Amino acid sequence: MAVSPFASPADRAGRAALVVFCVGVLIFLVTPVVAIIPLSFNAGSFLSYPLAGWSMRWYRELANSPEWIGAMRNSLIIATATAALATPLGALAALGLMRLPPKSREPMLALLLSPLFVPVIVTAVGVYFLYAPVHLANSHIGLILAHTTLAAPFVILVVQASLQGVDSSLLRAGSSLGAPPVTVFLRVLLPLIAPGVAAAAVFAFMASFDETVVTIFLAGPAQRTIPLQMFNGVRDQISPAITAAATLIIIVSIVLLGAAELLRRRGARINGLNA
């Protein structure tokens, strides 16, 4: 945080206190996450400090366990399919919201974002009673559809933010030159918001990959995902292998968030150049 050389001593002290407070809050939030990482390299069989030694034992257990490998495969399949469904649906919904009158836009946006506001346990119970009669529970398709419902609001928010930076005169120019709406969308609008759409796909993937509550209600033994495998492991028998899985999830989340941030900056730069 830059401080003006003409700032008074009180302003300097206030800014310094704000920086210290923010750093303290950041440390408070991050420390529990960081504390998991050394435990994943513990040579002992218990989750305790100090470590009994350093070892890759629990990562080898993950790599050799059919349960963990199957859970990872399910998580990747379901999260990828969810992102593939939620991204176009959310992007089209954001585009439709942009064309609505302001009076209709706010209620419709609230309706589309309602999965973010409703407690997940309520959504999970409702989805279970909806899917059970039509035999979508205990199936990959049911999980993908339920995760798409939860991930689509993230796509709508990200794509809507990208659309706000688009110069509408470019769209009108394409239409005035005789291009049909589909051509304007594919040749003009989509390239402008492509980084935002890609970032939205990353968020949809993460929302599905980390989801636990709905998965507990809908997943059978053949649909067990990484979060559900970790939940069952904590409930049945606490094993340091869970910390190894958590460390891998932390690394994947950091990589995906970094990719989303790079895409967001690229989209902002493209819109800045076209402004």
Side-chain angles (χ1 to χ4, degrees), residues 136-158:
L136 283 177
N138 299 334
S139 68
H140 284 83
I141 295 176
L143 272 178
I144 292 169
L145 293 176
H147 286 194
T148 300
T149 302
L150 298 175
F154 294 98
V155 178
I156 293 172
L157 289 175
V158 175

Side-chain angles (χ1 to χ4, degrees), residues 79 82-83 85-87 90 112-113 115-116 144-158 200-201 203-209 211:
T82 297
L85 277 177
T87 301
L112 293 174
L113 299 184
L116 296 179
I144 292 169
L145 293 176
H147 286 194
T148 300
T149 302
L150 298 175
F154 294 98
V155 178
I156 293 172
L157 289 175
V158 175
F203 281 107
F205 182 93
M206 293 176 59
S208 174
F209 194 86
E211 210 292 316

